[in-house]
């Protein structure tokens, strides 16, 4: 997927994102704290949730994107607004995906493929390819309702290539269960099948370690280049793992490192967060499907200068046709990524706007560009309203 353009409104909270375009490879969202950078990532992530059948109170969206086969889709819609049960907005109020009584209905929705209307919907009727359909659940998106149709299936497939904040190591219970049952992951008969799966990056990394050591070796070599004091890296349990009577996992697999001139393996809880985050970023690049959209909030968190250098370079040398949309406040990252990739985020009241560096005549030279950016942001002092 290549995300081309997005506009988004949360009618329940009054927050909106004006129509913004995205670069096909790297988008660095920069702006003051509270300007709305994280809100943009969450809005994009919400589209994936809607495509997979979740209903989100008061959301209105308009998005255009290209599939990996270079087919252009345009999807727009709007959920009704229901008053939150609590004055404090919580996840249960935001996403009404449990009992039918609390689900919010879609008021209108349209899906176009190469400018041709595939689906047109209002509160009374849904038309698929200009033919009325039987009454269908009002709280499910048309992407979910028609996901088996040839023209619609690629849409959800592409949205499922969106990966949000993948930089923590957390193996899922389902992956543990397969290990406990001694499955050999027969469904992943090739590395490309593993990459294309819907597993989290942590699960992919563990399976990759077990089944595709050559690819794990690539990840490990890059990791050792960043941390030359480390001699080896593995992901293993200290003992065969099993379940307790209460269903808790005993002896789970850990990321482990061994430093040079030492025979002791250091386990994940004692490994720096910067090391873990660097490893997961390298795994994300190697194990995501080609054409994935990678969303990372505050890319620099926990990363030292030694990490930032290599990982920033990996953002720029994009050999897997990935689209990165990341946020950062760190001068090193901003200075080392050309202003041609910047998306400057400003906010006035509840309205978030996204601009290219050229819109503010920011210098093309890196030394002056950062100073120009600071001057621009001083003109937009508003963060959280």
């Amino acid at each position: 997927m290549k995300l081309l353009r997005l506009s988004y409104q949360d009618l329940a909270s009054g927050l909106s994102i004006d129509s913004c375009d995205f670069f096909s490879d790297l988008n660095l969202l920069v702006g003051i704290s509270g300007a709305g950078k994280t809100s943009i990532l969450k809005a994009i992530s919400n589209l994936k949730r809607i495509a997979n059948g979740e209903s989100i109170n008061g959301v209105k969206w308009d998005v255009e994107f290209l599939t990996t086969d270079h087919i252009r889709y345009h999807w727009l819609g709007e959920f009704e607004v229901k008053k939150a049960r609590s004055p404090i907005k919580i996840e249960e109020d935001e996403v009404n995906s449990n009992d039918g009584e609390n689900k919010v209905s879609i008021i209108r929705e349209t899906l176009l493929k190469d400018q041709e209307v595939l689906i047109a919907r209002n509160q009374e009727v849904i038309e698929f390819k200009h033919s009325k359909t039987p009454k269908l659940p009002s709280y499910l998106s048309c992407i979910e309702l028609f996901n088996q149709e040839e023209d619609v299936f690629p849409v959800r497939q592409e949205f499922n290539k969106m990966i949000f904040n993948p930089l923590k190591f957390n193996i899922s219970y389902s992956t543990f269960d397969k290990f406990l049952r001694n499955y050999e992951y027969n469904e992943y008969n090739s590395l490309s099948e593993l990459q294309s799966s819907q597993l989290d990056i942590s699960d992919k990394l563990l399976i990759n370690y077990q089944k595709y050591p050559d690819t794990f070796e690539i990840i490990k070599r890059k990791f050792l280049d960043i941390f030359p004091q480390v001699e080896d890296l593995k992901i293993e349990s200290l003992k065969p793992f099993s379940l307790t009577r209460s269903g808790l996992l005993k002896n789970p697999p850990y990321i482990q490192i061994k430093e040079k001139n030492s025979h002791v393996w250091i386990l994940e809880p004692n490994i720096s967060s910067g090391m873990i985050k660097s490893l997961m970023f390298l795994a994300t690049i190697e194990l995501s499907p080609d054409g994935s959209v990678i969303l990372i909030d505050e890319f620099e968190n926990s990363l030292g200068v030694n990490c930032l250098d290599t990982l920033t370079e990996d953002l720029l040398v994009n050999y897997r046709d990935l689209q990165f949309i990341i946020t950062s406040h760190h001068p090193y990252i901003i200075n080392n990524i050309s202003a041609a990739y910047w998306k400057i985020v400003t906010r006035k009241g509840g309205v978030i706007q996204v601009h290219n560096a050229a819109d503010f005549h920011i210098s093309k030279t890196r030394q002056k560009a950062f100073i120009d950016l600071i001057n621009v942001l001083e003109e937009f002092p508003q963060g959280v309203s």
Side-chain angles (χ1 to χ4, degrees):
M1 170 189 266
K2 296 295 183 186
L3 193 61
L4 301 176
R5 186 189 60 80
L6 168 72
S7 64
Y8 183 92
Q9 289 180 266
D10 183 340
L11 301 172
S13 69
L15 185 72
S16 69
I17 302 168
D18 278 0
S19 182
C20 59
D21 301 324
F22 294 96
F23 303 127
S24 62
D25 42 11
L26 174 59
N27 298 264
L28 176 62
L29 305 185
V30 296
I32 65 171
S33 296
K37 301 182 296 297
T38 301
S39 295
I40 293 170
L41 298 189
K42 288 182 177 178
I44 297 169
S45 181
N46 280 346
L47 296 180
K48 175 179 177 179
R49 294 159 66 187
I50 295 169
N52 282 280
E54 293 194 39
S55 57
I56 304 182
N57 185 33
V59 162
K60 182 178 181 180
W61 71 95
D62 185 338
V63 61
E64 294 184 65
F65 57 94
L66 287 177
T67 67
T68 50
D69 294 325
H70 304 287
I71 299 171
R72 189 181 186 108
Y73 281 91
H74 183 186
W75 180 36
L76 53 161
E78 179 180 351
F79 281 99
E80 67 178 334
V81 182
K82 274 191 175 181
K83 187 176 180 181
R85 295 187 294 275
S86 165
I88 301 175
K89 190 173 183 179
I90 57 175
E91 189 76 3
E92 189 178 352
D93 287 325
E94 180 187 353
V95 181
N96 298 269
S97 55
N98 298 316
D99 54 348
E101 181 181 346
N102 290 321
K103 291 174 180 174
V104 288
S105 297
I106 292 178
I107 297 171
R108 59 184 66 86
E109 185 179 8
T110 306
L111 178 68
L112 300 93
K113 177 184 178 183
D114 288 333
Q115 299 185 332
E116 179 182 351
V117 175
L118 286 178
I119 301 171
R121 173 188 205 169
N122 57 37
Q123 288 177 292
E124 284 74 42
V125 66
I126 300 175
E127 289 188 0
F128 178 67
K129 293 185 175 180
H130 307 291
S131 296
K132 292 183 180 180
T133 67
K135 189 168 181 63
L136 297 168
S138 62
Y139 51 85
L140 296 177
S141 72
C142 287
I143 310 304
E144 166 70 11
L145 292 172
F146 297 98
N147 72 80
Q148 297 301 312
E149 296 291 337
E150 181 180 2
D151 290 320
V152 181
F153 172 76
V155 175
R156 188 160 76 168
Q157 190 177 44
E158 294 295 321
F159 272 105
N160 283 334
K161 291 181 180 180
M162 285 185 173
I163 303 171
F164 182 57
N165 279 346
L167 305 185
K168 293 182 180 180
F169 185 72
N170 184 23
I171 302 296
S172 71
Y173 179 84
S174 62
T175 296
F176 285 139
D177 184 61
K178 290 182 179 180
F179 271 105
L180 291 171
R181 296 174 186 273
N182 295 315
Y183 288 171
E184 293 297 327
Y185 300 98
N186 292 326
E187 62 267 48
Y188 310 121
N189 293 318
S190 67
L191 177 63
S192 63
E193 287 187 12
L194 176 61
Q195 290 169 331
S196 299
S197 73
Q198 295 301 303
L199 295 173
D200 289 340
I201 296 297
S202 296
D203 297 332
K204 290 182 180 181
L205 181 59
L206 179 59
I207 297 170
N208 180 247
Y209 176 78
Q210 296 281 339
K211 193 166 184 178
Y212 300 105
D214 289 347
T215 305
F216 184 81
E217 186 67 19
I218 293 172
I219 296 170
K220 183 174 83 170
R221 285 293 132 206
K222 291 184 177 180
F223 180 82
L224 298 184
D225 286 344
I226 299 173
F227 303 101
Q229 75 273 27
V230 178
E231 181 178 75
D232 205 356
L233 166 72
K234 64 182 182 180
I235 306 175
E236 294 180 3
S237 299
L238 300 180
K239 299 177 182 178
F241 47 85
S242 59
L243 292 178
T244 65
R245 291 182 180 179
S246 59
L248 298 176
L249 186 72
K250 293 175 63 177
N251 304 316
Y254 294 98
I255 294 173
Q256 302 178 45
I257 62 170
K258 184 163 73 72
E259 296 184 328
K260 292 178 179 178
N261 303 316
S262 173
H263 299 290
V264 177
W265 284 92
I266 303 172
L267 272 63
E268 179 192 344
N270 297 316
I271 299 173
S272 76
S273 57
M275 284 184 167
I276 298 296
K277 190 168 182 177
S278 297
L279 175 63
M280 294 309 298
F281 179 73
L282 297 172
T284 299
I285 290 178
E286 293 293 334
L287 301 178
S288 298
D290 288 351
S292 292
V293 179
I294 313 296
L295 311 170
I296 303 177
D297 195 22
E298 297 185 344
F299 179 73
E300 69 274 9
N301 276 3
S302 304
L303 298 179
V305 174
N306 57 322
C307 311
L308 291 176
D309 189 18
T310 301
L311 300 187
T312 303
E313 183 179 344
D314 284 340
L315 287 171
L316 297 169
V317 181
N318 186 349
Y319 68 96
R320 298 276 325 282
D321 196 29
L322 306 175
Q323 184 182 32
F324 289 96
I325 305 176
I326 69 172
T327 75
S328 179
H329 297 97
H330 201 291
Y332 183 92
I333 294 174
I334 297 172
N335 270 320
N336 282 277
I337 292 178
S338 167
Y341 297 109
W342 293 357
K343 290 292 182 178
I344 302 171
V345 181
T346 63
R347 178 170 174 171
K348 184 175 182 180
V351 180
I352 298 167
Q353 292 186 322
V354 180
H355 317 264
N356 293 335
D359 297 336
F360 294 112
H361 307 290
I362 285 179
S363 173
K364 294 181 180 180
T365 63
R366 294 190 179 183
Q367 293 83 354
K368 191 170 184 302
F370 188 72
I371 297 173
D372 288 346
L373 175 64
I374 293 173
N375 292 332
V376 166
L377 296 181
E378 285 179 351
E379 298 177 18
F380 296 90
Q382 188 172 15
V384 178
S385 59

